Amino acid sequence: MIRSIFVSALFFFGPALLMFMLRNMFLLLRAWLRLRRQRKKQEHEIIDITPHKHGSPSMLFNIVAIMVGLVSAFLAWQEMGSGPEQRQHYIPAHINEHGKVMPGAMVPKETPPAADQSADK
């Protein structure tokens, strides 16, 4: 008797459950396809405003950049190779013996003769 109740319940509810599952699977498949279609549609509607690289710089730009670099390197090398700078000191503004205001200026330092330097040591 119990067995017949289980068999009749299985054959009664089984096809209903199967149809319910198939219906839900069909609805889920349709929803997935619709979502996928909307994602593709949204991808095409996005406007990309990022700049795109259109190749390498022109030959003229490369030549000018190399020339500027070479000139800068030459000037720096020339400055480093020059002799020592003349030492200078600042004389502030003052009034000279005639009563005129003399502006401040940088004047070369007077170096003592070599004989005086050796005598100090």
Side-chain angles (χ1 to χ4, degrees), residues 62-95:
N62 289 336
I63 290 171
V64 169
I66 290 171
M67 292 300 291
V68 167
L70 287 174
V71 168
S72 298
F74 174 74
L75 291 175
W77 175 76
Q78 188 179 15
E79 184 65 29
M80 287 177 17
S82 64
E85 290 187 18
Q86 187 178 20
R87 297 185 134 229
Q88 296 183 344
H89 69 282
Y90 180 73
I91 296 178
H94 62 281
I95 298 175

Side-chain angles (χ1 to χ4, degrees), residues 14-61:
L17 288 175
L18 182 64
M19 293 304 289
F20 180 74
M21 286 178 13
L22 287 176
R23 179 175 172 250
N24 284 336
M25 292 299 287
F26 180 72
L27 289 175
L28 288 174
L29 180 66
R30 281 183 46 194
W32 178 73
L33 289 173
R34 185 179 300 141
L35 183 65
R36 193 173 112 187
R37 198 175 317 125
Q38 284 178 350
R39 284 185 183 165
K40 278 188 175 183
K41 194 174 184 181
Q42 286 177 354
E43 288 177 7
H44 293 297
E45 290 178 4
I46 295 174
I47 299 172
D48 187 15
I49 59 170
T50 56
H52 298 285
K53 186 175 180 182
H54 297 290
S56 62
S58 68
M59 183 66 78
L60 178 65
F61 177 79

